[in-house]
Amino acid sequence: MKKILFLLCILSAAVSAKQPGPVDQAVAFNKWYVGQIAKDIYPIKDGREIEKYVTASTIKKLRHTQDPGYGEESDLFYDADLFLKAQDIRDDWPANVTAIAVDTDPVCVNVYIAFGKKQDHVVIDCLVKENGAWKVQSVTAAQYTRNVADDR
């Protein structure tokens, strides 16, 4: 019986070791995602590979935004990619995606991702565990380009 428990513990550790942690998953997602955008492939609309990186509820909401007529009666307009928080990518982004910081809060693990050789564009990926894997739930820009007072 002890041998069986020991083997189960080893097997469990081996299986959990294969799952990337939140930092590795965030880097893998962003490298993959920016690479897709560089090839003019838009993962929210094209294919299902994004589902291994992004939570099911977030994907459902984002795919809903692709429905005909979505947002026509709303002032809400997204002028930047929802994962990159940028209108366009720079040439050096696909080869330069780096995690520069990480912190946690009660909701998620926040991984700060920098793009480019100079790391001058930073987003914060909020990752949560879903079905045993770390996945992006939301993304926030680390730098703001406009003043909220300008909207008043």
Side-chain angles (χ1 to χ4, degrees):
M1 183 69 157
K2 288 181 181 180
K3 288 181 181 180
I4 292 173
L5 286 175
F6 179 72
L7 289 173
L8 286 175
C9 287
I10 291 175
L11 181 60
S12 175
V15 168
S16 65
K18 292 180 184 178
Q19 292 290 338
V23 173
D24 291 336
Q25 185 72 344
V27 170
F29 166 67
N30 283 283
K31 283 182 178 182
W32 171 79
Y33 188 82
V34 78
Q36 297 296 295
I37 298 301
K39 296 180 217 172
D40 288 329
I41 298 170
Y42 297 93
I44 294 169
K45 296 186 283 186
D46 304 330
R48 301 187 70 84
E49 192 172 357
I50 195 169
E51 294 172 8
K52 72 180 181 182
Y53 296 111
V54 179
T55 63
S57 64
T58 298
I59 290 171
K60 182 178 178 181
K61 291 172 190 171
L62 292 176
R63 288 193 172 140
H64 175 64
T65 66
Q66 304 302 307
D67 292 343
Y70 176 84
E72 286 180 357
E73 297 179 18
S74 170
D75 291 335
L76 187 61
F77 177 73
Y78 297 104
D79 59 352
D81 182 275
L82 293 170
F83 290 110
L84 299 175
K85 301 299 182 190
Q87 290 179 342
D88 298 304
I89 64 170
R90 296 190 187 134
D91 292 339
D92 66 340
W93 285 14
N96 297 284
V97 177
T98 309
I100 58 171
V102 63
D103 66 28
T104 59
D105 61 37
V107 176
C108 58
V109 175
N110 296 294
V111 181
Y112 293 67
I113 299 290
F115 295 92
K117 290 177 185 174
K118 295 181 181 179
Q119 299 182 343
D120 54 358
H121 182 76
V122 179
V123 298
I124 306 166
D125 288 355
C126 166
L127 281 88
V128 297
K129 267 206 168 173
E130 181 178 83
N131 298 324
W134 288 100
K135 294 188 177 188
V136 175
Q137 178 173 279
S138 63
V139 180
T140 304
Q143 300 171 344
Y144 299 96
T145 57
R146 63 183 185 151
N147 189 336
V148 175
D150 294 340
D151 291 340
R152 295 183 189 160

Coordinates of all heavy atoms in Angstrom, one line a residue, residues 2-39:
K2 N 1.9 1.2 0.8 CA 2.8 2.4 0.9 C 3.5 2.6 -0.5 O 3.7 3.8 -0.9 CB 3.9 2.2 2.0 CG 3.4 2.3 3.4 CD 4.5 2.1 4.4 CE 3.9 2.3 5.8 NZ 4.9 2.1 6.8
K3 N 3.8 1.5 -1.2 CA 4.5 1.7 -2.5 C 3.5 2.3 -3.5 O 3.9 3.1 -4.3 CB 4.9 0.3 -3.0 CG 6.1 -0.3 -2.3 CD 6.5 -1.6 -2.9 CE 7.7 -2.2 -2.1 NZ 8.1 -3.5 -2.6
I4 N 2.2 1.9 -3.4 CA 1.3 2.5 -4.3 C 1.1 4.0 -4.0 O 1.1 4.8 -5.0 CB -0.1 1.8 -4.2 CG1 0.0 0.4 -4.7 CG2 -1.2 2.5 -5.0 CD1 -1.2 -0.5 -4.5
L5 N 1.0 4.4 -2.8 CA 0.9 5.8 -2.4 C 2.1 6.6 -2.9 O 2.0 7.7 -3.4 CB 0.7 6.0 -0.9 CG -0.7 5.6 -0.4 CD1 -0.7 5.7 1.1 CD2 -1.8 6.5 -1.0
F6 N 3.3 6.0 -2.7 CA 4.5 6.6 -3.1 C 4.5 6.9 -4.6 O 4.9 7.9 -5.1 CB 5.7 5.8 -2.7 CG 7.1 6.3 -3.1 CD1 7.6 7.5 -2.4 CD2 7.8 5.8 -4.1 CE1 8.8 8.0 -2.8 CE2 9.0 6.3 -4.5 CZ 9.5 7.4 -3.8
L7 N 4.1 5.8 -5.4 CA 4.1 6.0 -6.8 C 3.1 7.0 -7.3 O 3.3 7.8 -8.2 CB 3.8 4.6 -7.5 CG 4.9 3.6 -7.4 CD1 4.4 2.2 -8.0 CD2 6.1 4.1 -8.2
L8 N 1.9 7.1 -6.6 CA 0.9 8.1 -6.9 C 1.5 9.5 -6.6 O 1.2 10.4 -7.4 CB -0.4 7.8 -6.1 CG -1.2 6.7 -6.6 CD1 -2.4 6.4 -5.6 CD2 -1.7 6.9 -8.0
C9 N 2.2 9.6 -5.6 CA 2.8 10.9 -5.2 C 3.8 11.4 -6.3 O 3.8 12.5 -6.7 CB 3.5 10.9 -3.9 SG 2.3 10.9 -2.5
I10 N 4.6 10.4 -6.7 CA 5.6 10.7 -7.8 C 4.9 11.1 -9.1 O 5.3 12.0 -9.8 CB 6.6 9.5 -8.0 CG1 7.5 9.4 -6.7 CG2 7.4 9.7 -9.2 CD1 8.4 8.2 -6.8
L11 N 3.9 10.3 -9.4 CA 3.1 10.6 -10.7 C 2.4 11.9 -10.6 O 2.5 12.7 -11.6 CB 2.1 9.4 -10.9 CG 1.3 9.6 -12.2 CD1 2.2 9.6 -13.4 CD2 0.2 8.5 -12.2
S12 N 1.8 12.2 -9.5 CA 1.2 13.5 -9.3 C 2.2 14.7 -9.5 O 1.9 15.7 -10.1 CB 0.5 13.6 -7.9 OG -0.1 14.8 -7.7
A13 N 3.3 14.5 -8.9 CA 4.4 15.6 -9.0 C 4.8 15.7 -10.4 O 5.0 16.8 -10.9 CB 5.5 15.2 -8.1
A14 N 5.0 14.6 -11.1 CA 5.4 14.7 -12.5 C 4.4 15.4 -13.4 O 4.7 16.2 -14.3 CB 5.7 13.3 -13.0
V15 N 3.1 15.1 -13.2 CA 2.0 15.7 -14.0 C 2.0 17.2 -13.7 O 1.9 18.0 -14.6 CB 0.7 15.0 -13.7 CG1 -0.5 15.8 -14.3 CG2 0.7 13.6 -14.2
S16 N 2.0 17.5 -12.4 CA 1.9 19.0 -12.1 C 3.2 19.7 -12.6 O 3.1 20.9 -12.8 CB 1.7 19.2 -10.6 OG 2.8 18.7 -9.8
A17 N 4.3 19.1 -12.6 CA 5.5 19.7 -13.1 C 5.5 20.1 -14.6 O 6.1 21.0 -15.0 CB 6.7 18.8 -12.8
K18 N 4.6 19.4 -15.3 CA 4.5 19.6 -16.8 C 3.7 20.9 -17.1 O 3.8 21.5 -18.1 CB 3.9 18.4 -17.5 CG 4.8 17.2 -17.5 CD 4.1 16.1 -18.2 CE 5.0 14.8 -18.1 NZ 4.4 13.7 -18.8
Q19 N 2.8 21.3 -16.1 CA 2.0 22.5 -16.3 C 2.9 23.7 -16.0 O 3.5 23.9 -15.0 CB 0.8 22.5 -15.3 CG -0.2 21.4 -15.6 CD -1.0 21.7 -16.9 OE1 -1.1 22.8 -17.4 NE2 -1.5 20.7 -17.5
P20 N 2.9 24.7 -17.0 CA 3.7 25.9 -16.8 C 3.1 26.8 -15.7 O 1.8 26.8 -15.5 CB 3.7 26.6 -18.1 CG 2.6 26.0 -18.9 CD 2.3 24.6 -18.3
G21 N 3.9 27.5 -15.0 CA 3.4 28.4 -14.0 C 2.9 29.6 -14.6 O 2.9 29.8 -15.8
P22 N 2.3 30.6 -13.8 CA 1.7 31.8 -14.4 C 2.7 32.6 -15.2 O 2.3 33.2 -16.3 CB 1.1 32.5 -13.2 CG 1.8 32.0 -12.0 CD 2.2 30.6 -12.4
V23 N 3.9 32.8 -14.8 CA 4.8 33.6 -15.5 C 5.2 33.0 -16.9 O 5.1 33.6 -17.9 CB 6.1 33.9 -14.7 CG1 7.2 34.6 -15.5 CG2 5.8 34.7 -13.4
D24 N 5.5 31.7 -16.9 CA 5.8 31.0 -18.1 C 4.7 31.0 -19.1 O 4.8 31.2 -20.3 CB 6.3 29.6 -17.8 CG 7.6 29.5 -17.1 OD1 8.4 30.5 -17.2 OD2 7.9 28.5 -16.4
Q25 N 3.5 30.8 -18.5 CA 2.3 30.8 -19.4 C 2.0 32.2 -20.0 O 1.6 32.3 -21.1 CB 1.0 30.3 -18.6 CG -0.2 30.1 -19.4 CD -0.2 28.9 -20.3 OE1 0.8 28.3 -20.6 NE2 -1.4 28.5 -20.8
A26 N 2.2 33.2 -19.2 CA 2.0 34.6 -19.7 C 2.9 34.9 -20.8 O 2.6 35.4 -21.9 CB 2.1 35.6 -18.6
V27 N 4.2 34.5 -20.7 CA 5.2 34.7 -21.7 C 4.9 33.9 -22.9 O 4.9 34.4 -24.1 CB 6.6 34.4 -21.2 CG1 7.6 34.4 -22.3 CG2 7.0 35.4 -20.1
A28 N 4.5 32.7 -22.7 CA 4.2 31.8 -23.9 C 3.0 32.4 -24.6 O 3.0 32.4 -25.9 CB 3.9 30.4 -23.4
F29 N 2.0 32.8 -23.9 CA 0.8 33.4 -24.6 C 1.2 34.6 -25.4 O 0.8 34.7 -26.5 CB -0.3 33.7 -23.5 CG -1.4 34.6 -24.1 CD1 -2.2 34.1 -25.1 CD2 -1.5 35.9 -23.7 CE1 -3.2 34.9 -25.7 CE2 -2.5 36.7 -24.3 CZ -3.3 36.2 -25.3
N30 N 1.9 35.5 -24.8 CA 2.2 36.8 -25.5 C 3.1 36.5 -26.7 O 2.9 37.2 -27.7 CB 2.7 37.8 -24.5 CG 1.6 38.4 -23.7 OD1 0.9 39.2 -24.1 ND2 1.5 37.9 -22.4
K31 N 4.1 35.6 -26.6 CA 4.9 35.3 -27.7 C 4.0 34.8 -28.9 O 4.2 35.2 -30.0 CB 6.0 34.3 -27.4 CG 7.1 34.9 -26.6 CD 8.2 33.9 -26.3 CE 9.4 34.6 -25.6 NZ 10.5 33.6 -25.3
W32 N 3.2 33.8 -28.5 CA 2.3 33.2 -29.5 C 1.4 34.3 -30.1 O 1.2 34.4 -31.3 CB 1.5 32.1 -28.9 CG 0.4 31.5 -29.8 CD1 0.6 30.7 -30.8 CD2 -0.9 31.9 -29.7 NE1 -0.6 30.5 -31.4 CE2 -1.6 31.2 -30.8 CE3 -1.7 32.7 -28.9 CZ2 -2.9 31.3 -31.0 CZ3 -3.1 32.7 -29.1 CH2 -3.7 32.0 -30.2
Y33 N 0.7 35.0 -29.2 CA -0.3 36.0 -29.7 C 0.3 37.1 -30.6 O -0.2 37.3 -31.7 CB -1.0 36.6 -28.5 CG -2.2 37.5 -28.9 CD1 -3.4 36.9 -29.1 CD2 -2.0 38.9 -29.0 CE1 -4.5 37.7 -29.5 CE2 -3.1 39.6 -29.4 CZ -4.3 39.0 -29.6 OH -5.4 39.8 -30.0
V34 N 1.4 37.7 -30.2 CA 2.0 38.7 -31.0 C 2.5 38.2 -32.3 O 2.5 38.8 -33.4 CB 3.1 39.5 -30.2 CG1 4.4 38.8 -30.1 CG2 3.3 40.9 -30.8
G35 N 3.0 36.9 -32.3 CA 3.4 36.2 -33.5 C 2.2 36.0 -34.5 O 2.4 36.2 -35.7
Q36 N 1.1 35.7 -33.9 CA -0.1 35.6 -34.8 C -0.5 36.9 -35.4 O -0.8 37.0 -36.6 CB -1.3 35.0 -33.9 CG -1.1 33.6 -33.4 CD -1.0 32.6 -34.5 OE1 -1.9 32.3 -35.2 NE2 0.2 32.0 -34.6
I37 N -0.5 37.9 -34.6 CA -0.9 39.3 -35.1 C 0.1 39.7 -36.2 O -0.3 40.3 -37.2 CB -1.0 40.3 -33.9 CG1 -2.0 39.9 -32.9 CG2 -1.2 41.7 -34.4 CD1 -3.4 39.7 -33.4
A38 N 1.4 39.4 -36.0 CA 2.4 39.8 -37.0 C 2.1 39.1 -38.3 O 2.5 39.6 -39.4 CB 3.8 39.4 -36.5
K39 N 1.5 37.9 -38.3 CA 1.1 37.2 -39.5 C -0.3 37.5 -40.0 O -0.8 36.8 -40.9 CB 1.2 35.7 -39.3 CG 2.5 35.1 -38.9 CD 2.4 33.6 -38.7 CE 3.3 33.2 -37.6 NZ 3.1 31.8 -37.2

